[in-house]
Amino acid sequence: MFKTVRVAVVLLVAVAIAVMLVQLRPRAEKQSRTTDGRLVEVVSTHPQTLPMIVEAYGTVAPRESLKLVAEVRGQVVAMHPAFIEGGFVKSGEVLLSIDPRDYELAVRRANVGIRQAQAELDRLAQDILNLKANLKLARSDVDLALAEVNRFKNLAGKNMTSQSVLDKADRQYLTSRERLQALENQLAVTGPDRIRLESQLEMARVAMEQASLDLERCQIDTPFDAWVTQKEVEVGQHLAAGQSVGSVYRAGAFDIEVKIPMADLAWFPDDGGSEQGLPVEVLFMETATPKLWHGRLARVKAALDQTTRTLPVVIEVDEPTSGGAMIAAADRLKPGMFVTVRIQGRQVKNVHRLPRHLVHDGDTVYLAADDQLSVRPVTILRRFKKSVLISDGLSDGDLVVTSPLSGAVPGMRIRLKTEDGIQKTED
């Protein structure tokens, strides 16, 4: 009996507790439904004034390169210590010398020939003076003989002299005339003789110039500061005329030919950058720290490349040739370098630069406005590998969505991720 009562009491207590819990349970409150948009990141865009950079690639080449040859034959007797591959020589320094003794003798022979020709010409001049003096005497003798003949003729008309005397006077007159004629003939041929001797003198002078020139050619030098790229001879070697001895190129003067697509020519100024040419940056990327040089666009070639249909242009780069700038080999521009060329074109105003992946199909961009997504078409001015320039369609301060969105439609709800956290929107 006691056990039954105890069980009944426990059941009653449990039922009472259950009823009390049901009565005291919390009531659910009605709340408004919230709709959260997609979480996106945005970037604010602003118009800029940018130079149009035209990028191309090319190989560095020396502006002036010389292949040195021997102009006279002979044995190499001396050589500049810097005349080795990679050596640097100043303008006018003698690279090598050829034995000059044969050419010194040729100069002496030519000098003797000049003196001989001049002496012959001087003797002819004196002969002419002597002939002119003899001609003067001969004319006087002819005049006297003629007067004597006339006098004897008058006497013969008066029967005061014999015919034999008159004949003798005539013979003397003819002899005087003959002597005068001979002198005149001698004087006449002095003209061709003078021309012949003057020609001989001129030929002797030409031989002298040739001999002096050959003597000068016994020394081979450079007309500019140069770097030696090749040496092909040694001291004691015998050279023939026209034999190659080495090659050099002008120090600090380089040309880079690059090929520009025709579409990129629109970014060049109409005046071509005036006489100085467009400024150019030349970069060599194959070092730990890229090397930079400054140059200019010197000229545009007249014909398109037949293979690529691009227009070749020539970039000129000048480096100082004095001091340590040319000694530090790592900092020098060298022929054969493959470099990146950035040509600075005309300025373009009010353009927006965006990463290329932010421009979607149909040249549109996603904008955030009033917590909604806006799809706006834009005008692409220029495309690069990683970015684009937009000339129309964006305004100052527009928020461009940078987060990838699948199934994006105009008007969809979005939330902006800011520096302070997440900005939520509610219906």
Side-chain angles (χ1 to χ4, degrees):
M1 190 69 178
F2 175 77
K3 292 181 179 180
T4 302
V5 172
R6 187 174 60 182
V7 170
V9 172
V10 171
L11 290 175
L12 289 175
V13 171
V15 171
I17 292 174
V19 172
M20 185 179 62
L21 290 176
V22 171
Q23 294 295 326
L24 296 178
R25 73 182 184 273
R27 300 286 181 176
E29 297 181 0
K30 186 178 180 179
Q31 295 181 351
S32 60
R33 183 180 177 183
T34 60
T35 303
D36 294 339
R38 291 193 183 182
L39 182 63
V40 296
E41 294 182 352
V42 295
V43 63
S44 180
T45 180
H46 303 282
Q48 306 176 60
T49 298
L50 299 173
M52 292 295 98
I53 304 298
V54 178
E55 188 169 287
Y57 304 91
T59 302
V60 178
R63 191 175 308 158
E64 295 183 58
S65 180
L66 292 181
K67 190 171 184 64
L68 304 175
V69 298
E71 296 183 271
V72 294
R73 62 179 181 84
Q75 186 181 30
V76 178
V77 294
M79 187 174 296
H80 196 288
F83 186 44
I84 55 175
E85 185 175 355
F88 178 72
V89 291
K90 289 286 188 179
S91 174
E93 290 184 343
V94 179
L95 298 181
L96 62 85
S97 298
I98 297 173
D99 189 354
R101 289 176 294 179
D102 290 342
Y103 304 99
E104 291 172 349
L105 293 175
V107 170
R108 292 172 60 185
R109 284 194 298 269
N111 198 17
V112 170
I114 290 175
R115 291 199 300 269
Q116 289 177 344
Q118 186 63 55
E120 292 292 332
L121 197 58
D122 292 342
R123 186 179 66 178
L124 178 62
Q126 186 60 47
D127 290 344
I128 292 174
L129 292 176
N130 294 338
L131 284 174
K132 289 181 177 179
N134 292 335
L135 278 173
K136 186 176 181 180
L137 294 175
R139 290 191 182 98
S140 299
D141 188 45
V142 168
D143 293 339
L144 290 175
L146 180 60
E148 187 72 10
V149 168
N150 292 332
R151 186 171 67 82
F152 281 117
K153 284 182 178 180
N154 292 331
L155 293 177
K158 298 178 181 180
N159 294 322
M160 297 179 64
T161 184
S162 63
Q163 185 64 37
S164 60
V165 175
L166 181 59
D167 293 340
K168 184 178 179 180
D170 285 335
R171 284 194 299 272
Q172 290 178 348
Y173 172 68
L174 293 174
T175 301
S176 299
R177 287 291 305 274
E178 184 179 359
R179 189 182 305 112
L180 177 63
Q181 186 64 45
L183 292 174
E184 289 177 346
N185 292 340
Q186 291 181 17
L187 185 61
V189 298
T190 57
D193 288 343
R194 185 177 64 253
I195 294 174
R196 176 178 56 81
L197 293 177
E198 287 176 350
S199 299
Q200 291 179 357
L201 178 60
E202 184 64 24
M203 286 299 296
R205 288 172 177 168
V206 169
M208 180 66 176
E209 292 179 6
Q210 182 64 55
S212 300
L213 184 59
D214 289 342
L215 182 59
E216 291 178 5
R217 289 171 174 171
C218 289
Q219 294 183 338
I220 299 178
D221 56 15
T222 61
F224 42 69
D225 294 351
W227 290 93
V228 181
T229 56
Q230 190 176 15
K231 185 188 77 166
E232 302 177 15
V233 296
E234 298 294 341
V235 175
Q237 183 175 343
H238 191 278
L239 302 179
Q243 181 176 342
S244 176
V245 299
S247 56
V248 298
Y249 70 87
R250 178 186 284 273
F254 302 95
D255 286 350
I256 307 169
E257 182 177 315
V258 298
K259 296 175 181 178
I260 305 297
M262 294 298 295
D264 287 342
L265 294 180
W267 309 122
F268 290 178
D270 294 335
D271 59 358
S274 69
E275 296 181 357
Q276 289 75 24
L278 296 176
V280 176
E281 290 183 348
V282 177
L283 294 101
F284 183 64
M285 301 293 192
E286 299 181 15
T287 55
T289 302
K291 302 296 182 181
L292 172 65
W293 296 270
H294 295 280
R296 66 184 184 94
L297 194 154
R299 62 186 182 276
V300 177
K301 291 198 171 181
L304 294 178
D305 185 271
Q306 296 295 325
T307 304
T308 60
R309 295 297 177 183
T310 53
L311 186 62
V313 300
V314 178
I315 309 301
E316 290 186 354
V317 181
D318 294 313
E319 282 187 318
T321 58
S322 60
M326 299 308 293
I327 298 175
D331 295 331
R332 291 195 286 114
L333 197 63
K334 301 182 185 66
M337 280 184 173
F338 187 74
V339 294
T340 301
V341 172
R342 294 176 180 172
I343 305 171
Q344 183 172 339
R346 59 186 176 88
Q347 300 279 335
V348 177
K349 299 180 179 179
N350 297 322
V351 294
H352 298 258
R353 182 190 291 273
L354 289 179
R356 187 161 184 166
H357 70 275
L358 298 185
V359 179
H360 305 282
D361 294 340
D363 289 344
T364 59
V365 296
Y366 297 162
L367 301 180
D370 298 330
D371 301 326
Q372 293 183 349
L373 182 70
S374 172
V375 180
R376 184 179 299 176
V378 293
T379 301
I380 304 299
L381 178 66
R382 193 175 178 198
R383 300 178 190 269
F384 300 98
K385 291 181 180 179
K386 297 182 179 181
S387 63
V388 294
L389 297 182
I390 299 173
S391 61
D392 192 20
L394 293 178
S395 301
D396 186 15
D398 281 345
L399 300 178
V400 180
V401 176
T402 61
S403 301
L405 291 176
S406 59
V409 292
M412 69 181 294
R413 304 293 293 179
I414 57 175
R415 294 176 297 158
L416 305 184
K417 184 177 181 180
T418 63
E419 294 180 357
D420 297 332
I422 300 175
Q423 177 184 349
K424 295 183 178 180
T425 61
E426 296 183 356
D427 287 337

